[in-house]
Amino acid sequence: MTLLLALPIGMLAQGTTWQNATDVALGGSRSATMSEKSAVHWYKATVKENGASAITATPQADLGMRYITLYTVTGGETHERSYIWIGGAPTTLTINDCAPGTYYIQLDHGSGEGGYTFSTQLAPASATQPNDQEPNDTWQQAQLVKRGNTATGH
């Protein structure tokens, strides 16, 4: 006797906890289906250099999503880094100061049922912020920034 289990492809496309999160390459994208039965999806991305990351979720018309949340994990515990409300429109969470490491991304169901597309991007720090012109690599070399002024660099 052969038993076949039929599941929509989207049901196999994402993790259900941070421990079994599905890898997504930076610059990559995935599509999946979300419903009340599959209400939380987890992905993980490995950042290899400092930079600004963008995580975009685009729900289909019948799907309302709640949040994109970015986490780090230390000592087996998740730590929320940032989040943004999605609703029913394409939404991007941008983090300007991602250091090298593994990040976990959680997408939450809000209402309805349908598909979504999820993508990640990383712009290296060298492309988003020019190198500082002054020495300030240690606290002893710190430069004073007066109230109301700005400083750029990385």
Side-chain angles (χ1 to χ4, degrees):
M1 176 178 174
T2 303
L3 177 65
L4 295 176
L5 178 62
L7 292 173
I9 292 174
M11 294 294 288
L12 302 174
Q14 69 289 321
T16 56
T17 67
W18 71 266
Q19 292 97 334
N20 68 2
T22 300
D23 287 318
V24 61
L26 293 172
S29 67
R30 294 199 176 251
S31 295
T33 301
M34 187 173 266
S35 68
E36 288 181 20
K37 292 179 182 177
S38 176
V40 178
H41 295 181
W42 284 87
Y43 297 92
K44 67 179 174 180
T46 301
V47 174
K48 296 186 184 208
E49 62 182 303
N50 292 326
S53 67
I55 303 162
T56 302
T58 305
Q60 292 177 346
D62 294 338
L63 177 62
M65 296 174 77
R66 293 173 28 147
Y67 294 99
I68 301 171
T69 308
L70 182 70
Y71 293 91
T72 57
V73 173
T74 305
E77 293 185 20
T78 58
H79 304 280
E80 184 179 289
R81 174 76 192 273
S82 189
Y83 66 91
I84 191 168
W85 176 260
I86 302 171
T91 303
T92 301
L93 173 63
T94 302
I95 309 295
N96 289 317
D97 58 349
C98 278
T102 300
Y103 293 86
Y104 295 85
I105 302 139
Q106 180 184 20
L107 302 176
D108 293 318
H109 174 264
S111 63
E113 183 174 334
Y116 68 87
T117 303
F118 162 77
S119 65
T120 61
Q121 297 291 327
L122 180 74
S126 59
T128 59
Q129 298 176 331
N131 282 326
D132 299 335
Q133 297 302 310
E134 72 286 338
N136 64 352
D137 295 328
T138 67
W139 67 269
Q140 296 94 339
Q141 297 172 315
Q143 306 270 324
L144 178 64
V145 178
K146 295 182 180 180
R147 186 180 303 207
N149 291 349
T150 60
T152 60
H154 68 277

